[in-house]
Amino acid sequence: MNIERAIDRLGGVAHQTALAELGFTPVDARAAVSAGRLMRIRKSWVARTGNDSDAVAAVRVGGSLTCLSLLRARSVWCAEDGDLHVRADRNTSHFASPQSRRVPLDREVHRVKIHRTLSGLIPSPDTRSQAAQPALRASDSVAVALMQMITCQPRDHAIAAIDSALVKKLVTRHRLETMAESLTLKHREAVALSDANSESGLETKARLRLRALGIPFRSQVPIRGVGRVDLLIGDRLVIELDGRKWHSSEQAFTRDRGRNLTLHEAAYLPMRYSYAQVMYEWDRIEAVIRGHVRRREHRWSSRQRRDGCGFENTWSESTGARGMRPAEPTR
């Protein structure tokens, strides 16, 4: 394996300690830089020539890619803020532009958010021996990025990102719980409120807000002829949340309306909301839901039960067996 392939294996950018673990010396790196096969982006850091990734930019600034910038690159659901999120050691004082080490960092102009390493998250260089120091990485792990996000973003956004990472199996709950235990109550609460069954960030946000209102619900409930619905309040109030990615095509529009019709045929009360409505008009949604619950329209009426309602057409996802079961009682 040559040094270029080693750099590729390390994600396209590498510190000399990581290269040393693969058997490459500083002399090897200097020779590759002189030949134009690699470029030096910071002292002891090299990358493949032409690599303009966020990880390279973060190293050039003076730290590691983290928080939203790292999570977006891993396809974790998170908000967009247009900033480059960089984690730096607590004693780092010199930061440079993402484009050039010769230009001092202007956080507003260069759109860079500096995160200081959380105390207790990663041992600082002065608390470990040089021999025990692990190779430096250009990008944080998903777990570390999530811990940094909890201090950076609104609670609902952070929990939505945790849910997404758990669903995608990019991290384990045990790993997050272990890390949060050494941090703050805010970190422990965010991990405790996460749910690996949440299908999207929108579902997480709605779930947390309904929980805050004290309105009981179930998530990802399977209904015969429809599939799983995002949230079910009481017996029949179905909440469907349309993310931008999966509900923007004409085919998706037609499918969603077909689901609504099937739900109406079975006497459910479907409510479908867009990404923008959940993100920016939740107060209006909340008022509508509270109205339905106050009027007890989320429960089957006596007449509906006499007509055969009051049972959910469901199936067992483990066995594939279809059947009927009574709705769980809710207030």
Side-chain angles (χ1 to χ4, degrees):
M1 179 170 61
N2 60 29
I3 193 169
E4 294 98 309
R5 300 188 81 176
I7 295 283
D8 289 340
R9 178 175 170 181
L10 294 168
V13 55
H15 188 268
Q16 184 56 53
T17 56
L19 289 172
E21 290 178 354
L22 297 177
F24 296 96
T25 68
V27 173
D28 297 325
R30 286 196 295 270
V33 170
S34 297
R37 302 194 307 274
L38 299 180
M39 61 180 182
R40 190 167 301 282
I41 55 176
R42 184 178 158 199
K43 183 180 179 181
S44 300
W45 286 90
V46 291
R48 289 296 296 265
T49 300
N51 186 341
D52 61 354
S53 66
D54 284 347
V56 168
V59 170
R60 194 174 281 126
V61 167
S64 304
L65 195 69
T66 196
C67 194
L68 298 183
S69 299
L70 182 284
L71 296 171
R72 282 195 300 267
R74 301 293 188 272
S75 298
V76 173
W77 191 98
C78 52
E80 297 281 352
D81 66 0
D83 289 343
L84 180 71
H85 290 251
V86 179
R87 180 185 59 79
D89 288 331
R90 301 177 71 84
N91 58 354
T92 300
S93 58
H94 172 68
F95 297 103
S97 155
Q99 290 77 40
S100 173
R101 287 293 294 175
R102 297 186 181 89
V103 178
L105 176 67
D106 183 317
R107 301 189 191 192
E108 292 187 7
V109 171
H110 296 129
R111 299 295 303 273
V112 172
K113 175 70 178 292
I114 298 295
H115 295 249
R116 295 296 182 173
T117 301
L118 297 170
S119 179
L121 183 61
I122 300 173
S124 60
D126 56 359
T127 63
R128 59 195 177 198
S129 68
Q130 186 66 29
Q133 182 173 334
L136 300 176
R137 303 295 179 185
S139 299
D140 280 343
S141 68
V142 168
V144 169
L146 288 169
M147 294 298 109
Q148 295 286 164
M149 185 183 184
I150 291 170
T151 65
C152 173
Q153 298 293 306
R155 188 192 70 160
D156 288 4
H157 288 197
I159 296 173
I162 294 173
D163 287 355
S164 177
L166 289 172
V167 168
K168 294 177 182 295
K169 302 187 184 304
L170 298 175
V171 68
T172 65
R173 177 175 293 280
H174 176 72
R175 172 65 171 153
L176 295 179
E177 289 174 342
T178 300
M179 296 182 77
E181 192 62 34
S182 65
L183 297 173
T184 67
L185 177 60
K186 185 176 183 179
H187 288 84
R188 293 190 289 276
E189 287 180 340
V191 173
L193 288 170
S194 63
D195 183 357
N197 293 319
S198 183
E199 291 283 308
S200 72
L202 290 186
E203 183 181 322
T204 298
K205 291 175 72 65
R207 172 172 58 83
L208 293 172
R209 290 168 181 181
L210 290 174
R211 182 179 183 275
L213 292 173
I215 297 178
F217 63 90
R218 283 170 287 161
S219 60
Q220 295 302 314
V221 178
I223 296 178
R224 187 176 184 179
V226 176
R228 291 185 297 171
V229 298
D230 292 333
L231 300 169
L232 179 65
I233 297 173
D235 303 323
R236 60 188 292 262
L237 183 55
V238 172
I239 309 297
E240 294 272 65
L241 308 165
D242 295 351
R244 290 177 296 186
K245 182 175 181 180
W246 304 113
H247 300 268
S248 57
S249 69
E250 183 176 349
Q251 182 180 10
F253 180 90
T254 301
R255 182 193 65 236
D256 291 341
R257 272 60 197 172
R259 285 167 61 90
N260 283 357
L261 179 57
T262 302
L263 288 166
H264 279 299
E265 288 174 334
Y268 287 92
L269 184 60
M271 301 169 64
R272 183 173 296 278
Y273 297 110
S274 69
Y275 175 92
Q277 287 173 322
V278 175
M279 295 294 289
Y280 309 117
E281 298 184 86
W282 180 259
D283 289 347
R284 296 178 64 189
I285 296 174
E286 178 183 313
V288 172
I289 293 174
R290 288 168 68 97
H292 283 299
V293 172
R294 184 174 60 252
R295 295 186 296 272
R296 299 188 63 79
E297 293 166 351
H298 64 310
R299 302 296 303 274
W300 299 118
S301 67
S302 297
R303 173 175 291 183
Q304 286 170 326
R305 288 189 181 278
R306 287 196 300 270
D307 289 343
C309 298
F311 290 82
E312 295 173 34
N313 298 310
T314 64
W315 68 90
S316 167
E317 293 185 340
S318 60
T319 64
R322 297 180 181 272
M324 304 279 282
R325 65 180 173 85
E328 296 177 13
T330 60
R331 69 184 185 197

